[in-house]
Amino acid sequence: MTRDHDKRSKQRRATRASGYGSGSPQTERMVRTLLRRRKQQLAPGDVRVVDKPQVKRAVSAAALGNTMEWFDFGVYAYVAATLGKVFFPSSSPGAQVISTFATFAAAFLVRPLGGLVFGPLGDRIGRQRVLSATMIMMAVSTFAVGFLPGYASIGMAAPVLLLVCRLVQGFSTGGEYAGATTYIAEYSPDRKRGFLGSWLDFGTFIGYSLGSGLVTVLTALLSDDQMLSWGWRVPFFVAGPLGMIGLYMRLKLEETPAFQEVEAQHQKAEAQGTGSEEEDRVEQARMSGRGRLKELFTGHWEAMLICVGLVLLYNVTNYMVTSYLPTYMTTTLGEPELVGHLLVLGTMLLVAVTITTVGRSSDRFGRRPIFLWSGAAMVVLAIPAFQLIRAGGVLLPAIGCAVLGLLLVCFAGTSASTLPALFPTHLRYGGLSVAFNVSVSLFGGTTPLVNSALVETTGNEMVPAYYLMGAGAIGVVSALFLYETAGKPLRGSSPMVETEEQAQQLVARSRRRAGRRARDVWIDLRHGRLPRPPQDKD
């Protein structure tokens, strides 16, 4: 052992003496300089300081669009029983509800098509233009529902027209949420992306609360005959002005800094024209819509799967509480309609009040732990929550709804900051649109329909709890593979900070980190060891 140790010591001394060259001071200085240059340290121009007023406008405009979308969902969920009588007359109330939710689910079948169109388009022409287009389509299609005649007036044409309006809504929504999350994420400073992103889903639940609250007020003030004849139309008429306000705000927005950065790099490369004609054709094909989709499915399939799993967890819970629970409590459990509506409305207000706190917590503790622990809690608490909801009265069902609401807010408060960070800038809108809408279409939007049908056929009122448990298990598995992105720049984007002072601190920290790395590499080389990989903790 001593002989081998002496032999290795002699080899290290010989290596140090050789200095990987002549051993002269000039060679050592040259190696040190090369090592420092190899490290990618930040320069002052590499860090973006956000424009705070512009960030507020971006968050407000994006959130208002989501408010508009979910106002429609809240209205549709709360008037499902009435719409079933107007458009799907049948002797069975259960069949009417299933028919209404089938039309609701049909809108989700075309959402992936909207994602395939609007997502790559948003990566090519910009986020702001596409978000303005989706807002117009949503407002017009929702407003048009209020003018539709019922089955008694035009027969089968009535449900067909309702289906057409829902399909247009679904197609436009295919580019809405992914674009809004992308827009907010690319405007937010890295340390506050969770907090600012949570305002998008705050708009979601405010919109749902406004829609469901309006229907609740109408139900309390109007008779059943008045609701059937004209009362159900009022909430859809309100969607028109809301859409115009949202469109005005979005037309005033500028493009995101991250997209502008990518566009500037692309234009610079085109201006230089260093590539051959064949290379230019290859690059144009890669940057086309089809080329971007091919790159997504071949080079980013892991991120796509993680996104599908997390979206499944969030949206199954979301649509279970927002769209199915009101009907479940009234039609399946036989609770008074007003009681069921008020309980779910109170749950939505609880989510809205707590959602920004969850978003801020994700900036501090990370997105991954929140998804992991809340997904595991869903598996454990789904059955107790539904047992409380089935207990009757008001207090115990209110506690059960609150449990589901607090689980829902954990997913809602972190999704808008987690999902965009899975993809690089030039593929972010498209990747998120496709993965998000495929997951929502297959699992989220079909939740009311599937659970209504299963409860109707099996007679088991606990089916929704088992459904939530399955979603929780899939979410936990997805979160296990999630890379933590809290406090870090988006992939392919420059670091974003709030103040010049933070920018200077970030640059200084980057230089210190690069210097330490260069020193460690130099020490390893001097001792005859291969350099260790960097282990940055920032």
Side-chain angles (χ1 to χ4, degrees):
M1 292 291 292
T2 304
R3 186 178 302 171
D4 292 340
H5 178 73
D6 293 341
K7 184 178 180 180
R8 286 195 296 269
S9 299
K10 289 179 180 179
Q11 289 175 347
R12 285 196 294 268
R13 285 196 296 271
T15 300
R16 287 196 297 270
S18 65
Y20 291 90
S22 64
S24 64
Q26 293 84 356
T27 302
E28 292 190 0
R29 283 197 299 270
M30 180 185 69
V31 173
R32 286 181 181 273
T33 301
L34 290 174
L35 287 173
R36 288 195 182 97
R37 288 180 178 176
R38 285 178 59 194
K39 289 307 299 172
Q40 295 182 352
Q41 63 186 42
L42 293 173
D46 295 332
V47 182
R48 286 182 175 269
V49 180
V50 300
D51 182 353
K52 292 183 179 180
Q54 183 67 18
V55 171
K56 291 181 180 179
R57 288 194 295 271
V59 172
S60 300
L64 185 58
N66 239 31
T67 301
M68 161 73 192
E69 175 188 349
W70 279 90
F71 176 87
D72 167 56
F73 284 133
V75 169
Y76 201 91
Y78 270 57
V79 298
T82 303
L83 291 179
K85 297 174 183 177
V86 174
F87 291 96
F88 304 98
S90 170
S91 58
S92 170
Q96 289 180 351
V97 172
I98 291 175
S99 298
T100 306
F101 280 136
T103 307
F104 180 81
F108 290 87
L109 297 180
V110 298
R111 283 185 68 156
L113 296 178
L116 287 171
V117 172
F118 290 121
L121 190 63
D123 285 327
R124 291 175 62 190
I125 68 173
R127 288 73 161 108
Q128 186 266 347
R129 295 181 185 178
V130 174
L131 285 174
S132 298
T134 59
M135 175 63 75
I136 295 174
M137 294 179 67
M138 278 196 303
V140 171
S141 56
T142 303
F143 189 57
V145 173
F147 292 95
L148 295 181
Y151 185 92
S153 300
I154 59 174
M156 283 299 298
V160 171
L161 290 175
L162 177 64
L163 178 62
V164 170
C165 291
R166 289 296 299 164
L167 292 177
V168 175
Q169 289 172 338
F171 186 79
S172 63
T173 306
E176 173 61 31
Y177 186 82
T181 55
T182 296
Y183 200 88
I184 291 180
E186 291 181 350
Y187 255 113
S188 301
D190 298 330
R191 294 181 182 179
K192 284 191 173 182
R193 194 182 307 127
F195 172 67
L196 294 176
S198 65
W199 285 99
L200 178 67
D201 288 278
F202 173 83
T204 294
F205 294 103
I206 288 297
Y208 184 91
S209 300
L210 289 174
S212 58
L214 178 56
V215 175
T216 302
V217 171
L218 291 172
T219 303
L221 295 179
L222 302 179
S223 66
D224 291 342
D225 290 339
Q226 289 174 321
M227 280 295 295
L228 278 173
S229 62
W230 60 269
W232 66 269
R233 301 179 185 274
V234 174
F236 294 102
F237 290 150
V238 176
L242 279 180
M244 292 302 100
I245 295 173
L247 177 62
Y248 174 79
M249 293 182 65
R250 287 190 174 181
L251 290 175
K252 294 292 183 180
L253 293 177
E254 298 178 3
E255 195 49 77
T256 67
F259 182 80
Q260 291 179 5
E261 184 179 348
V262 170
E263 280 294 287
Q265 294 172 356
H266 182 62
Q267 292 174 4
K268 182 178 180 181
E270 285 185 342
Q272 291 175 348
T274 54
S276 64
E277 185 176 346
E278 179 64 24
E279 290 174 341
D280 290 342
R281 284 200 297 269
V282 171
E283 179 63 17
Q284 289 176 4
R286 188 181 75 86
M287 297 301 290
S288 66
R290 183 176 298 178
R292 292 174 193 269
L293 290 175
K294 181 180 179 181
E295 184 177 353
L296 274 173
F297 286 105
T298 56
H300 300 274
W301 59 269
E302 292 180 348
M304 297 279 284
L305 288 177
I306 293 172
C307 185
V308 167
L310 296 179
V311 171
L312 183 152
L313 173 61
Y314 173 24
N315 279 273
V316 166
T317 309
N318 193 11
Y319 289 104
M320 182 72 75
V321 175
T322 58
S323 298
Y324 179 64
L325 202 54
T327 303
Y328 174 79
M329 297 177 71
T330 56
T331 303
T332 303
L333 301 183
E335 296 289 337
E337 190 172 358
L338 185 60
V339 173
H341 287 181
L342 288 175
L343 286 176
V344 177
L345 178 59
T347 304
M348 293 301 97
L349 293 176
L350 173 64
V351 173
V353 169
T354 56
I355 192 168
T356 56
T357 302
V358 174
R360 192 186 298 274
S361 298
S362 75
D363 286 325
R364 181 178 179 183
F365 302 110
R367 332 286 191 213
R368 189 170 180 266
I370 292 179
F371 267 111
L372 274 173
W373 288 107
S374 55
M378 177 63 75
V379 177
V380 174
L381 298 176
I383 290 179
F386 268 87
Q387 287 176 337
L388 290 170
I389 292 172
R390 294 173 61 238
V394 176
L395 179 60
L396 293 180
I399 295 174
C401 290
V403 170
L404 294 180
L406 291 175
L407 291 173
L408 172 59
V409 76
C410 292
F411 314 135
T414 52
S415 290
S417 55
T418 303
L419 302 179
L422 292 170
F423 303 98
T425 302
H426 73 288
L427 298 172
R428 184 168 296 129
Y429 200 154
L432 185 51
S433 290
V434 174
F436 183 90
N437 288 297
V438 166
S439 184
V440 172
S441 299
L442 294 178
F443 309 107
T446 57
T447 295
L449 173 63
V450 171
N451 281 273
S452 293
L454 289 176
V455 170
E456 183 80 9
T457 55
T458 65
N460 188 343
E461 296 177 353
M462 291 300 294
V463 165
Y466 307 144
Y467 205 80
L468 287 177
M469 291 175 66
I474 294 173
V476 168
V477 173
S478 302
L480 288 173
F481 293 93
L482 181 64
Y483 176 72
E484 185 57 67
T485 57
K488 299 177 182 179
L490 295 170
R491 293 180 60 185
S493 301
S494 299
M496 303 274 285
V497 296
E498 291 185 273
T499 63
E500 290 288 349
E501 182 181 359
Q502 291 180 357
Q504 295 171 3
Q505 292 173 353
L506 189 60
V507 171
R509 186 163 62 248
S510 172
R511 289 176 176 173
R512 289 195 301 269
R513 191 165 61 240
R516 289 196 301 267
R517 175 60 183 151
R519 179 201 61 198
D520 294 340
V521 172
W522 173 254
I523 293 174
D524 287 339
L525 291 174
R526 292 289 292 172
H527 286 80
R529 298 190 298 263
L530 291 175
R532 292 165 293 181
Q535 297 180 349
D536 297 334
K537 298 181 180 180
D538 297 289

